[in-house]
């Protein structure tokens, strides 16, 4: 930087320009004025930017709360001002700015310093104020917590409040300091009262407010509010005590009832409970009667077990026709049931069944339990009870001779539909539908017989209805036994199917599928009717990616294979879809119904049942191609004229011929 020259009087040296014209002098004066203005503006703004940057840095660093912050900031500002005024630039032609410009810049900087000093003081006071509030708030929480724990030190805590506020003298205005002090003292008193209320010392809390002079700290409104809370707490405590006493009595009664039921309570203990007021006289009488009945039943069970054991020990069995033996078996079974209460249901059933087999009698309690299972709303309970009743009947019909006939009939119907993999709900549903169908057929038959009897002359002997003696037809239950695999099911899983059961059986034989779990060698054709992926997608059972849609209630291949009803529903839809395609105007294969074909093995006529069977095997389109070919060859079948892959046409012809006279309609 060039050194600033001074003359002997301490003034800036200004080079005198040569003698100029008046116009040039005016222009030079304007230039000097412009240079002075630029200098003042530039240096003032630069100083303000540096001061603002330092102030922002101090705020970010947290220095603005330091009591020395204002003093340090002003010292730094003086240094910045000297630096900004020490470098005086030259103007055009070597001229210097005027001393007035330098003084004006200094005055501007001094004004900026005053403003920054005011802002720094404000910031310092603000932070001290905020810290004071934070410290007072934290201290107030601790004081209130201490007061709530124990009200005995409340006076000392209030002195602590006064000492705390003294530490912030000068930070808050007098009014504000008084408000803070009152708030802290009221908070301490309120916390002490709350603590006493929570601990149930409502009398001490009331005395603290009314007699210790602390109501002045709270103010009349807050004091009334706390007194109201004390009143409510005393009422709540009284109600709670009454509820606890009632709950204790209920628990005592429940324990007595439980011990009576378990046979663990004796009359002397019952008398003690009456004396203590745990139970009333009426309850005592009823429970005592139960204890006496329990003792009586226990004696009968012991007597029954002795009698039954004596019979079995002598290689004999109780006599079902002997009332004493039957009562002994029932009593002995009651004792056995009590010991089996904690066993799993499966183990309990096995032990009970062994008892029936050993004694040769069905105890009344077990008969009632199984009958209740048949009437249960739980399908699993119905299926389990039905299976056991049928097993008893198969072992010895005399065991279930006392059961209602309709109960045993329903049990056999349920068991007949107990296919492996079928849910209990579906089994019970199918059994109900079958029984409804049987009842309907029986009612229809009785109606026809009534008409026949009305039209038959008097004295004419009545002939039995077709089918035999007129006894109720029973459904075979062999197919329902777990693990049984049969070439064909003995009962129709879907009696309401629009496709005849006999026709479905023949389709299954033609598909060479022995059961509902059958799969083709490639694994693509599923179930009893060997539904292919195309067929499954055509009826909306399967998506293009191979996943199942959930139709018919099945979501996986395994579920489909284990659900006969779903397969029957799917096959019915396949048959419906095949008939729609055969009747479609673009196919119209049904126009050939009744046409005779001179087949490879024999002559046959085209029937709708045959067309449906062939379409199920090869598709409606292939069937139409076969018939168009035969028409072109004058309805004479010659394998040599069949197109490439003659096996397709041969299989279509076989289906048309073998299903010619098998009706698909029920």
């Amino acid at each position: 930087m060039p050194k600033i020259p001074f003359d002997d009087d301490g003034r800036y040296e200004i080079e005198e320009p040569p003698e100029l014209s008046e116009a040039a002098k005016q222009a030079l004066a304007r230039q000097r004025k412009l240079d002075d203005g630029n200098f003042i503006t530039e240096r003032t703004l630069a100083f303000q930017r540096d001061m603002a940057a330092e102030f922002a840095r101090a705020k970010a660093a947290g220095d603005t709360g330091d009591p020395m912050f204002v003093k340090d900031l002003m010292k730094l500002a003086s240094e910045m001002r000297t630096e900004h005024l020490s470098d005086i630039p030259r103007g055009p032609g070597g001229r210097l700015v005027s001393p007035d410009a330098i003084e004006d810049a200094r005055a501007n900087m001094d004004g900026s310093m005053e403003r920054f000093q005011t802002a720094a003081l404000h910031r310092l006071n603000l932070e001290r104020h905020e810290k004071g509030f934070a410290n007072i708030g934290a201290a107030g929480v601790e004081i209130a917590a201490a007061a709530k724990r124990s009200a005995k030190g409340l006076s000392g805590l209030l002195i602590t409040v006064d000492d705390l506020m003294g530490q912030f003298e000068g930070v808050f205005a007098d009014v504000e300091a008084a408000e803070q002090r009152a708030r802290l003292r009221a908070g301490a008193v309120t916390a002490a009262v709350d603590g006493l209320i929570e601990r149930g010392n409502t009398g001490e809390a009331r005395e603290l407010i009314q007699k210790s002079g602390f109501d002045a700290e709270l103010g009349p409104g807050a004091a009334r509010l706390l007194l109201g809370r004390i009143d409510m707490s005393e009422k709540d405590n009284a109600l709670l005590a009454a509820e606890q006493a009632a709950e204790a009595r209920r628990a005592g009664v429940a324990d007595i009832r439980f011990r009576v039921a378990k046979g663990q309570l004796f009359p002397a203990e019952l008398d003690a409970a009456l004396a203590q007021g745990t139970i009333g006289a009426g309850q005592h009488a009823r429970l005592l009667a139960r204890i006496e009945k329990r003792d009586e039943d226990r004696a009968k069970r012991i007597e029954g077990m002795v009698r039954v054991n004596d019979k079995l020990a002598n290689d004999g069995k109780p006599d079902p026709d002997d009332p004493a033996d039957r009562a002994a078996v029932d009593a002995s079974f009651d004792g056995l049931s009590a010991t089996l209460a904690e066993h799993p249901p499966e183990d309990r059933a096995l032990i009970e069944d062994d008892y029936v087999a050993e004694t040769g009698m069905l105890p009344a309690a077990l008969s009632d339990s199984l009958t209740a299972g048949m009437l249960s709303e739980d399908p699993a309970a119905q299926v389990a009870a039905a299976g056991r009743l049928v097993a008893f009947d198969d072992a010895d019909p005399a065991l279930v001779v006392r059961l209602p006939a309709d109960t045993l009939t329903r049990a056999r119907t349920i068991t007949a539909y107990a296919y492996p993999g079928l849910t209990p709900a579906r089994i019970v549903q199918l059994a109900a539908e079958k029984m409804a169908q049987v009842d309907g057929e029986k009612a229809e038959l009785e109606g026809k017989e009534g008409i026949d009897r009305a039209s038959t002359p008097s004295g004419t002997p009545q002939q039995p209805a077709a089918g035999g003696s007129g006894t109720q037809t029973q459904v075979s239950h062999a197919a329902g036994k777990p693990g049984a695999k049969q070439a064909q099911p003995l009962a129709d899983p879907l009696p309401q199917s629009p496709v005849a059961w006999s026709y479905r059986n023949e389709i299954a034989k033609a598909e060479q599928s022995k059961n509902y779990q059958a799969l083709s060698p490639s694994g693509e054709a599923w179930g009893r009717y060997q539904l292919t992926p195309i067929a499954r997608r055509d009826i909306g059972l399967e998506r293009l990616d191979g996943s199942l849609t959930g139709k018919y209630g099945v979501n996986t291949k395994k579920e489909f294979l284990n659900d006969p009803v779903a397969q029957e529903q799917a096959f019915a839809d396949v048959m419906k879809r095949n008939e729609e395609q055969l009747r479609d105007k673009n196919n119209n294969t049904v126009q050939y119904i009744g046409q005779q074909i001179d087949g490879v093995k024999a002559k046959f006529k085209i029937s709708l049942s045959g067309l449906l069977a062939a379409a199920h095997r090869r598709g409606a389109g292939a069937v139409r191609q076969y018939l168009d070919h035969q028409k072109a060859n004058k309805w004479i079948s010659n394998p040599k004229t069949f197109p490439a892959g003659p096996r397709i046409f041969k299989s279509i012809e076989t289906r048309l011929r073998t299903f010619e006279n098998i009706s698909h309609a029920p």
Side-chain angles (χ1 to χ4, degrees), residues 640-661:
K640 295 181 179 180
T641 64
F642 289 173
R647 190 163 57 92
I648 296 177
F649 276 13
K650 287 182 179 179
S651 63
I652 292 175
E653 182 172 309
T654 299
R655 288 290 176 97
L656 291 172
R657 175 172 48 80
T658 56
F659 284 81
E660 175 186 0
N661 297 313

Side-chain angles (χ1 to χ4, degrees), residues 15 43 65 131 142 147 175 231 286 293 302 324 354 391 400 408 529 572 608 631-632:
E15 297 180 4
R43 294 308 168 92
K131 288 180 180 179
E142 294 181 3
V175 174
D231 293 339
R286 291 191 295 271
K293 180 67 167 57
I302 294 174
D354 288 343
V400 294
L408 191 58
Y529 305 109
L608 179 57
K631 180 179 180 181

Side-chain angles (χ1 to χ4, degrees), residues 202-217:
T202 54
E204 189 176 344
R206 189 184 301 277
E207 184 178 357
L208 181 68
I209 296 174
Q210 294 177 337
K211 298 182 180 180
S212 301
F214 291 127
D215 52 347
E217 303 290 347

Side-chain angles (χ1 to χ4, degrees), residues 356-377:
V356 173
E358 188 175 9
T359 60
M361 293 174 62
L362 183 64
L366 181 56
S367 176
D368 293 343
S369 174
L370 295 177
T371 302
M374 292 291 296
L375 299 175
S376 170
E377 295 183 359

Side-chain angles (χ1 to χ4, degrees), residues 501-545:
W501 178 237
S502 57
Y503 186 89
R504 285 178 272 160
N505 285 334
E506 293 301 321
I507 288 289
K509 291 178 183 178
E511 295 291 350
Q512 299 180 357
S513 55
K514 295 183 178 180
N515 52 51
Y516 288 97
Q517 289 79 29
L519 291 172
S520 65
S522 65
E524 292 187 350
W526 299 353
R528 189 173 190 243
Y529 305 109
Q530 295 292 281
L531 301 189
T532 63
I534 294 177
R536 297 195 297 268
R537 288 194 292 269
D538 207 26
I539 60 174
L541 172 62
E542 184 176 307
R543 301 183 181 92
L544 291 176
D545 62 359

